[in-house]
């Protein structure tokens, strides 16, 4: 994974294949206002010009399984988010709610309530404490971040439901949850305005809605 | 998300499910690998062409299971039909095989499942014709020879009658085979 240089530019994290496609269709001069990072599941053999950094989850295979399953993606995604230092660096996260990678990122913002259990012996208590610590270590604080979901027409009912659920969860973890209409094939207008004024961009860009 | 990206996402998620289903039908790993590749193309065609309202009634894994099973069965049927054809002797084997397997204007990869099934049925129907009718069909419709050329080659005086008769027989058999798959032959 790459190391990141801190600059004054706002940092944007593009997650998944759909986000990459939208990035490639967005005007370069607009993108230059941001530091853009890309996170993909696996290398696709295409060039990723324009991104300051590009990371592939499957490259962390020395430590984690490469399978594309939600549970297996949790740890490498958490590792990546820790590296990019989400709390202080990244302001905007963009991705499709129908991609598992994006789902895992959003879920890592979701603070699941920790259920307390009464334990009788110190050993059991210690074990329970360790488990709680571990589960908390994969949770990232997105409360000052905005997320843009790239909406699209997905035919299958399970994927539709899953996408809705991801968006719903994001509303609990992010300060702003924004949906880009499926008719938008690029984010040039939105990102141009967002650079100047976040509220203005959300309120006055066609096809952009804040939930 | 366009359909290419959607397929990419689905294949990643359900890669092991698809391989498991294919493995149930094809034990040879090379065969299974070929089927998986062709299945990917078939899935993309389906995603592009099938009605959204129809797909909206499905959960992704359920749809994949049904499509993959049908695809495997189609491949098995196609292989059986090829095997059956290969046991029949033709005066002009080369012409026949060239016609069936290579000269087809539609390449296999570009076929939709309907075309693919129809093609299997044509091959099967040809194997059920008698040798003379089969030869007439090959000469007329695959080698695209004139009626006069067929008359000369087959020693006929009125080839058009034989061509019409052989064509009707072929369509009848294809129609019978197609009933099972919901393919209806319209005789214009």
């Amino acid at each position: 994974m790459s190391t990141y240089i801190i600059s004054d530019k706002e940092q944007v994290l593009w997650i998944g294949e759909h986000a990459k496609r939208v990035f490639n269709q967005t005007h370069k001069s607009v993108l230059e206002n941001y530091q853009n990072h890309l996170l993909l599941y696996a290398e696709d053999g295409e060039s990723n010009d324009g991104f300051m950094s590009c990371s592939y989850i499957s490259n962390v295979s020395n430590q984690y399984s490469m399978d594309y399953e939600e549970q297996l993606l949790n740890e490498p995604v958490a590792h990546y988010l820790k590296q990019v230092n989400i709390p202080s660096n990244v302001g905007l996260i963009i991705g499709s709610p129908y991609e598992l990678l994006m789902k895992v990122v959003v879920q890592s913002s979701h603070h699941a309530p920790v259920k307390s259990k009464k334990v009788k012996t110190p050993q059991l208590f210690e074990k329970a404490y360790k488990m709680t610590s571990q589960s908390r270590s994969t949770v990232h604080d997105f409360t000052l971040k905005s997320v843009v979901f790239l909406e699209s027409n997905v035919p299958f009912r399970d994927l539709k439901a899953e996408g809705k659920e991801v968006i719903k969860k994001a509303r609990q973890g992010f300060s702003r949850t924004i949906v880009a209409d499926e008719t938008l094939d690029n984010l040039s207008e939105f990102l141009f305005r967002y650079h100047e004024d976040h509220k203005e961009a959300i309120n006055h860009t066609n096809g952009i809605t804040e939930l | 998300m366009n359909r290419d990206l959607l397929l990419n996402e689905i294949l990643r998620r359900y890669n092991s499910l698809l391989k498991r289903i294919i493995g149930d039908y094809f034990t040879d790993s090379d065969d299974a690998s070929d089927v998986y590749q062709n299945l990917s193309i078939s899935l993309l065609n389906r995603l592009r062409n099938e009605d959204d309202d129809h797909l909206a009634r499905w959960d992704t894994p359920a749809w994949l299971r049904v499509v993959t099973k049908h695809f495997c069965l189609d491949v098995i049927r196609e292989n059986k039909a090829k095997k059956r054809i290969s046991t029949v002797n033709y005066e002009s084997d080369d012409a026949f095989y060239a016609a069936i397997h290579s000269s087809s204007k539609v390449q296999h990869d570009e076929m939709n499942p309907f075309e693919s099934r129809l093609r299997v049925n044509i091959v099967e129907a040809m194997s059920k014709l008698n040798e003379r009718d089969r030869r007439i069909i090959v000469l007329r419709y695959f080698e695209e020879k004139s009626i006069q050329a067929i008359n000369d080659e087959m020693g006929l005086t009125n080839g058009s009658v034989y061509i019409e008769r052989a064509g009707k027989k072929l369509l009848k058999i294809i129609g019978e085979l197609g009933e099972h798959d919901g393919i209806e032959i319209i005789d214009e």
Side-chain angles (χ1 to χ4, degrees):
Chain A
M1 297 225 182
S2 323
T3 50
Y4 304 101
I5 302 161
I6 309 297
S7 83
D8 292 339
K9 287 182 181 178
E10 184 156 13
Q11 306 214 19
V12 181
L13 185 54
W14 301 76
I15 305 217
E17 311 284 346
H18 189 187
K20 183 185 163 184
R21 180 168 291 211
V22 170
F23 176 91
N24 286 331
Q25 286 165 348
T26 300
H27 207 280
K28 276 184 182 174
S29 63
V30 175
L31 293 170
E32 281 169 2
N33 293 322
Y34 301 89
Q35 274 194 357
N36 298 289
H37 303 279
L38 175 66
L39 177 65
L40 293 176
Y41 169 65
E43 287 189 63
D44 52 10
E46 293 173 10
S47 72
N48 293 310
D49 296 340
F51 289 104
M52 186 188 165
S53 75
C54 181
S55 303
Y56 307 101
I57 288 296
S58 58
N59 278 2
V60 203
S61 57
N62 289 341
Q63 300 164 47
Y64 306 107
S65 167
M66 281 179 65
D67 285 348
Y68 193 67
E69 289 174 25
E70 194 178 324
Q71 284 185 329
L72 298 172
L73 289 173
N74 279 330
E75 285 297 320
V77 164
H79 182 74
Y80 171 78
L81 293 177
K82 201 175 171 185
Q83 280 232 334
V84 293
N85 195 7
I86 284 289
S88 57
N89 288 345
V90 176
L92 192 59
I93 294 175
I94 300 171
S96 164
Y98 306 105
E99 285 185 48
L100 208 52
L101 201 54
M102 184 64 174
K103 182 184 178 184
V104 170
V105 169
V106 169
Q107 277 180 342
S108 71
S109 72
H110 186 66
H111 291 260
V114 180
K115 288 178 185 173
S116 61
K117 268 186 176 180
K118 284 184 181 177
V119 285
K120 287 181 180 175
T121 67
Q123 287 83 3
L124 275 176
F125 183 78
E126 192 177 298
K127 194 177 177 186
Y129 173 75
K130 275 181 187 166
M131 285 168 66
T132 305
S133 311
Q134 277 172 3
S135 68
R136 277 193 185 282
S137 72
T138 60
V139 170
H140 297 268
D141 185 6
F142 288 100
T143 46
L144 295 174
K145 313 297 168 194
S146 298
V147 61
V148 177
F149 287 112
L150 305 167
E151 191 50 91
S152 50
N153 175 26
V154 170
F156 298 106
R157 65 182 180 187
D158 59 325
L159 286 180
K160 275 184 182 164
E162 187 182 295
K164 274 185 188 172
E165 192 58 31
V166 171
I167 293 173
K168 193 176 157 189
K169 274 199 172 155
R171 293 182 71 184
Q172 296 163 357
F174 288 79
S175 67
R176 282 204 176 100
T177 304
I178 300 156
V179 174
D181 195 274
E182 64 180 290
T183 56
L184 289 182
D185 59 357
N186 69 69
L187 291 176
S188 301
E189 189 186 347
F190 170 70
L191 288 176
F192 176 75
R193 290 182 172 184
Y194 194 83
H195 178 58
E196 301 296 329
D197 183 335
H198 294 186
K199 275 189 181 173
E200 161 88 7
I202 294 163
N203 294 333
H204 295 102
T205 310
N206 286 334
I208 293 289
T209 315
E210 183 174 5
L211 300 179
Chain B
M1 186 186 283
N2 68 25
R3 294 299 154 99
D4 298 41
L5 290 178
L6 177 62
L7 179 70
N8 194 31
E9 176 72 15
I10 289 173
L11 288 180
R12 274 181 185 165
R13 287 190 188 206
Y14 299 105
N15 182 38
S16 51
L17 170 73
L18 297 180
K19 286 186 172 166
R20 207 164 52 237
I21 297 171
I22 292 170
D24 289 343
Y25 291 93
F26 300 91
T27 48
D28 181 88
S29 61
D30 288 342
D31 287 348
S33 177
D34 288 346
V35 170
Y36 183 84
Q37 294 301 322
N38 292 330
L39 173 68
S40 310
I41 296 159
S42 175
L43 288 172
L44 184 58
N45 283 333
R46 277 176 172 251
L47 278 178
R48 282 176 178 166
N49 299 324
E50 278 197 14
D51 186 12
D52 275 9
D53 291 341
H54 168 74
L55 293 174
R57 292 198 289 270
W58 290 88
D59 282 336
T60 320
W63 181 78
L64 283 173
R65 269 192 206 99
V66 170
V67 174
T68 305
K69 282 180 181 177
H70 284 171
F71 186 82
C72 289
L73 289 170
D74 281 346
V75 173
I76 289 167
R77 283 183 61 200
E78 194 169 359
N79 288 345
K80 275 185 185 171
K82 276 180 193 165
K83 216 172 184 180
R84 206 176 298 134
I85 289 289
S86 69
T87 61
V88 181
N89 287 322
Y90 290 97
E91 269 182 53
S92 169
D93 279 354
D94 290 345
F96 180 70
Y97 283 117
I100 293 292
H101 297 297
S102 309
S103 303
S104 170
K105 286 169 188 163
V106 184
Q107 291 300 304
H108 183 77
D109 289 352
E110 295 165 7
M111 282 183 189
N112 63 36
F114 169 81
E115 289 166 336
S116 180
R117 270 205 297 279
L118 187 58
R119 188 179 175 198
V120 172
N121 290 350
I122 290 170
V123 175
E124 201 166 342
M126 286 291 282
S127 73
K128 290 183 176 180
L129 290 177
N130 66 39
E131 201 167 323
R132 185 186 64 189
D133 289 341
R134 196 161 47 230
R135 183 91 192 105
I136 286 170
I137 294 287
V138 168
L139 289 173
R140 181 63 180 153
Y141 295 110
F142 293 102
E143 294 183 12
E144 294 178 350
K145 292 199 171 170
S146 67
I147 294 172
Q148 188 54 51
I150 294 170
N151 279 344
D152 293 342
E153 192 166 336
M154 306 259 324
L156 306 172
T157 51
N158 194 358
S160 60
V161 175
Y162 288 95
I163 290 165
E164 193 183 342
R165 210 176 284 162
K168 278 187 176 171
K169 280 185 198 171
L170 183 71
L171 283 177
K172 186 169 178 281
I173 300 169
I174 292 171
E176 286 165 4
L177 293 170
E179 273 176 19
H180 177 69
D181 300 319
I183 299 170
E184 191 183 347
I185 301 297
I186 299 164
D187 192 358
E188 290 180 327

